[in-house]
Amino acid sequence: DVYGFPVPRITHSAHRFETAASAFYGPKLAAICQAAPGAIDGQYIPVGSVADSGGPAASLAAGPAATAHIMGPARLGRNPARSVVNRFGRVHELDNLYVADGSVFVTSGGFNPTLTIMALSLRMADRLTGAKHRRHRHPHRDGRVRG
């Protein structure tokens, strides 16, 4: 980096399963989008086709980038030898650095991770501010909230 510290280089390429799923589902999803009432457009961009096309300039020329939830580079865990952050997102070796995104996931579930990222971020924020554990508040039958 600008201060002379080594910086990791993280690269990503589509796995053959991602490529196969993209080739199978992409055209079907594009057709559904095109058939939707009031649809303007529905396109299919194969996984990895933009990212693997030769860098940022080529990506801009090739069109909009495909999206993905990249997970795992800063995996969450108890053992500093096998993970990067603890259960609150704090980097094991640094007291003042936290990670609050999908990179802390060891693996991906079958659904969009946004709500899990939000929950982990809230837990991290509670930890940083010293807030006590939040209790779930559910309305009682009479409409009053108890918790």
Side-chain angles (χ1 to χ4, degrees), residues 50-64:
V50 175
D52 297 336
S53 64
S59 294
L60 292 174

Side-chain angles (χ1 to χ4, degrees), residues 5-23:
F5 292 106
V7 177
R9 178 177 180 199
I10 299 172
T11 59
H12 175 272
S13 60
H15 187 274
R16 62 186 170 99
F17 295 159
E18 292 174 297
T19 304
S22 176

Side-chain angles (χ1 to χ4, degrees), residues 17-33 43-47:
F17 295 159
E18 292 174 297
T19 304
S22 176
F24 180 79
Y25 289 112
K28 292 175 181 4
L29 293 171
I32 290 169
C33 290
Q43 294 183 10
Y44 158 61
I45 301 172
V47 166

Side-chain angles (χ1 to χ4, degrees), residues 8 22 25 36 44 46 51 53 66 71 79 90 107 113 127 129 132 135-136:
S22 176
Y25 289 112
Y44 158 61
S53 64
M71 298 178 191
N79 183 347
R90 184 182 63 78
T107 187
R127 178 70 173 204
T129 61
K132 298 291 183 193
R135 292 177 56 191
H136 295 286

Side-chain angles (χ1 to χ4, degrees), residues 32-42:
I32 290 169
C33 290
Q34 289 170 349
I40 297 171
D41 195 8

Side-chain angles (χ1 to χ4, degrees), residues 33-139:
C33 290
Q34 289 170 349
I40 297 171
D41 195 8
Q43 294 183 10
Y44 158 61
I45 301 172
V47 166
S49 64
V50 175
D52 297 336
S53 64
S59 294
L60 292 174
T67 61
H69 295 289
I70 309 304
M71 298 178 191
R75 58 178 38 209
L76 182 146
R78 292 181 180 168
N79 183 347
R82 300 189 63 203
S83 61
V84 177
V85 301
N86 69 10
R87 65 188 179 128
F88 298 106
R90 184 182 63 78
V91 174
H92 288 298
E93 297 174 357
L94 300 168
D95 291 337
N96 62 349
L97 179 61
Y98 287 76
V99 178
D101 63 10
S103 67
V104 302
F105 295 170
V106 176
T107 187
S108 174
F111 301 96
N112 188 309
T114 302
L115 293 176
T116 305
I117 291 170
M118 291 170 60
L120 289 172
S121 297
L122 179 60
R123 182 170 66 175
M124 180 187 68
D126 284 348
R127 178 70 173 204
L128 284 169
T129 61
K132 298 291 183 193
H133 178 69
R134 296 172 190 263
R135 292 177 56 191
H136 295 286
R137 299 173 63 87
H138 300 285

